[in-house]
Structures are given as C-alpha cells and as structure tokens.
Amino acid sequence: MVILSVGIDLAKSVFAVHGVNEAGKAELLRPAVPRDKLHELIAALPPCVIGMEACSGAHHWARLFQASGHTVRLIAPKFVTPYRMSGKRGKNDAADAAAICEAVRRPHMRFVPIKTLEQQSLLMVHRARQGFVEQRTATLNRIRGCLSEFGIVLPLKAATVRRRACDCLEDLPGYANIVIGDLLSEVTRLDERITQYDQHIKAMAKEDVRAKRLMQLSGVGETTATCMLAMIGNGHDFDCGRQFAAWLGLAPGQYSSGGKTRLGRITKAADSDLRMLLILGARAMLAAAKNKTDATSRWAVALEARRGYWKAVVAIAAKNARMAWAVLRQGEGFALPS
C-alpha cells in the first residue's frame, strides 16, 4: 500500500482519515479514528502529504505530523467545500476527509502557514487581551442598559459612563445600587487585567528585533508589530506585499467581466484583529499628517482631500501592510523610510 496523500477531518474526539495512492484510488479509509489513536496511525505511514482544514488544534497536529516526517498542508475550509463530491447536502466527516485529500493534491491550492509554538504563544496573548477588551465593552453597555431603566441615559463614551454611573450610584434604589456597584468593580478589574497584558505585549516587542524594526514605520506600534509577527512570522508565505494586503482583506473585491474592471469594497478577509490594528494606526497617522510636511504625510492629506476620509485610511493601512511585509521579508536589506 503506497499512500501519497492523506486528508484528515479534524474534530474533538473522533477523526476521519482518507488516503489515496498515486492513481487517486482510496487506500486508507478510516471514518472514525479515536483521538488517542490518530498520531499512532499517521506515524505508521510512510512519508506523505497530509492535508487538514485550518481550524482549532490544526497547528498542533501539523507540528506533530511534521515531526514524524510528513509534509503537512493546512487549507482554509472555504477552499475544501468545492471538492466535496456529495455537495452541500451530503456533508459528513468521511466526505470532508475525502474532499481535503482531493484539495491538497491541487497544484495551485493556497495553504495556511503553520504556526510555531512561539507564534501561537504570542497570538494567545493578543487573543486574551482582545477578549478582556470585549468583556469591558459589554460590561459598560450593561451598565448603560440598566441605568436606562431608571431614566438615566448615558452616552457611549466609556469615561463618561464610568463617571456618571459613580455619581448616581447613591441615588439608585435597593439592589440596583448593588448591581451597578458590582459592574463598576468588574470594569475596574478588567482595566487592571488589560493593563497587565499591555505590559506583556510591551515586553514581547522589546525582546524581538523584528518588532523594533516594524515599530519604526508610521502607524505601527507595539501591539500591531507583535500581532503581525504572531500571524505571519517572517512573511515568507507571501510572494509580495500586495498579496499580504489582500490576505488581510485590505484589497478591493473584484467583479470584472468582458474586459471591464469593476472593483468594489475591501473584502475584510483573514484576521479582523490585525486589520483593525492597521486601520487604527492609519487613522492616527492621517491625523498627525496634517501637521507634517514629509512626502508620505503630503500624500495622505492629498488622498483624503481627493477620495474622502475612510478610503484614505484604508489606503494608508494597505500601504503600511505592504511596507511591514517588506521589513519582515527582507530584514536588514530593506531601507526604512526616513
């Protein structure tokens, strides 16, 4: 039995495995492999190409299978769906594994970079911090919603909600006083936790030479630099800066036909957190550009006047993404703008 490629449908407890030979004939069909038996099964196979969908736990399994001598490819789920022979109405684990096995054999398939342990550790810090930020926002909105039941309508600004909620705390009846007080205490706790994670990110940026070079770019700070390193490493999985910007979702969607080019809004693909950080950096850069006279600032101000604020922000973010890719890809060989 000579198996050249294997497709694995990942799950929590039971996995489906589909392996084919050089002619594309199925040689290994295991629709239900227990979690504790999967590594043993794959390790016993001769070196081959293993395909999996990029999902929870995929990077762990990829590193594990690579250590056994296999070539591992991670595929975005949206690229696997067209290869499912049973279509949308025939989705099951075995059909998914067969579709993954077929997709991984395509010569022009796009694959997801496999993250190292260090990258996943950095990314975990960012994910946890973002979770705390979302919890804080939700808690502040809960305070606003509760107070509106007593005719106290507060604006969206977080600082105003904190101040006004504290001011009216003693005027609230019964248990309402306890609830709002507890919610304000929770906001304070989340503030402290976010501050701690900001310190972690600051330390990560200080320890990494690549992050220091990224932070020399306008609109790129400690959070953006470390998040980018966690997501793409040295950027070697992208052929050019525009490909990286398109992966981030900062390139326009295209609906062209008959030789006529039609460009729409940005696709908003890939990771929303990294794209959001670049957008925030671009907004800060555009605000500061009005008081500067360098070439980049003049270009940004002229672009805003010609195309509007938000299009200018997206263009600046896309430009920053391309330059950040060049810094990571070329290293010391890339001359940073003065």
Side-chain angles (χ1 to χ4, degrees):
M1 179 177 67
V2 179
I3 296 177
L4 293 186
S5 59
V6 176
I8 304 176
D9 183 56
L10 299 178
K12 293 181 180 179
S13 302
V14 180
F15 302 78
V17 180
H18 185 99
V20 299
N21 57 20
E22 186 176 7
K25 182 180 179 181
E27 295 282 358
L28 177 64
L29 296 176
R30 297 289 181 84
V33 180
R35 184 180 186 89
D36 56 351
K37 298 293 184 181
L38 180 63
H39 185 215
E40 179 182 347
L41 172 66
I42 300 301
L45 297 176
C48 58
V49 177
I50 297 177
M52 297 179 291
E53 288 184 336
C55 60
S56 177
H59 295 276
H60 163 71
W61 288 111
R63 292 190 296 267
L64 207 59
F65 297 152
Q66 281 180 333
S68 299
H70 299 291
T71 301
V72 183
R73 299 282 184 264
L74 300 183
I75 311 173
K78 67 178 181 180
F79 293 144
V80 174
T81 302
Y83 294 96
R84 192 187 302 123
M85 297 300 294
S86 52
K88 293 183 179 180
R89 298 182 180 275
K91 175 178 170 53
N92 56 59
D93 293 347
D96 285 346
I100 295 169
C101 187
E102 181 65 25
V104 78
R105 301 174 66 201
R106 299 301 94 198
H108 300 294
M109 178 58 64
R110 298 175 182 175
F111 301 108
V112 176
I114 298 173
K115 291 182 175 59
T116 63
L117 288 172
E118 180 185 3
Q119 283 181 280
Q120 286 203 294
S121 298
L122 293 176
L123 189 58
M124 190 177 296
V125 174
H126 285 275
R127 291 290 185 261
R129 181 190 178 278
Q130 185 61 26
F132 290 134
V133 171
E134 292 174 359
Q135 289 178 34
R136 182 176 63 182
T137 302
T139 306
L140 289 169
N141 287 335
R142 188 171 295 115
I143 292 173
R144 294 178 63 249
C146 291
L147 290 178
S148 67
E149 298 295 336
F150 296 94
I152 305 173
V153 179
L154 303 181
L156 291 174
K157 190 174 181 180
T160 305
V161 173
R162 298 166 192 259
R163 187 183 68 255
R164 294 275 299 277
C166 289
D167 293 342
C168 67
L169 190 60
E170 298 300 329
D171 299 329
L172 296 175
Y175 287 105
N177 179 284
I178 297 175
V179 171
I180 299 301
D182 288 343
L183 291 175
L184 288 171
S185 298
E186 181 67 12
V187 170
T188 303
R189 186 190 67 83
L190 290 170
D191 286 337
E192 295 172 353
R193 185 66 69 184
I194 292 169
T195 302
Q196 290 176 355
Y197 274 77
D198 286 338
Q199 295 300 321
H200 294 329
I201 292 173
K202 185 176 181 180
M204 292 189 301
K206 187 177 181 181
E207 295 170 358
D208 199 306
V209 177
R210 298 170 299 173
K212 292 179 180 179
R213 285 182 57 81
L214 284 174
M215 287 188 292
Q216 295 181 38
L217 298 173
S218 299
V220 178
E222 297 165 344
T223 305
T224 305
T226 53
C227 184
M228 193 172 295
L229 288 174
M231 291 297 299
I232 68 170
N234 289 324
H236 292 296
D237 295 287
F238 300 95
D239 295 330
C240 61
R242 190 187 187 285
Q243 191 180 84
F244 174 51
W247 177 79
L248 278 172
L250 291 171
Q254 188 170 169
Y255 306 92
S256 304
S257 180
K260 185 174 182 179
T261 302
R262 297 183 180 89
L263 299 179
R265 299 179 179 180
I266 60 173
T267 62
K268 295 186 179 181
D271 186 70
S272 59
D273 291 340
L274 181 54
R275 183 174 61 253
M276 175 193 67
L277 291 172
L278 286 168
I279 291 291
L280 292 175
R283 294 182 65 181
M285 182 178 171
L286 183 57
K290 299 176 182 179
N291 300 321
K292 297 182 179 180
T293 58
D294 59 281
T296 302
S297 298
R298 293 198 306 270
W299 166 78
V301 173
L303 182 62
E304 180 188 10
R306 187 174 69 253
R307 301 294 292 172
Y309 176 77
W310 283 111
K311 288 184 179 179
V313 166
V314 172
I316 294 170
K319 182 177 180 179
N320 287 344
R322 295 187 187 193
M323 294 184 67
W325 171 85
V327 169
L328 292 175
R329 182 68 180 267
Q330 300 179 24
E332 297 291 340
F334 179 77
L336 290 166
S338 56

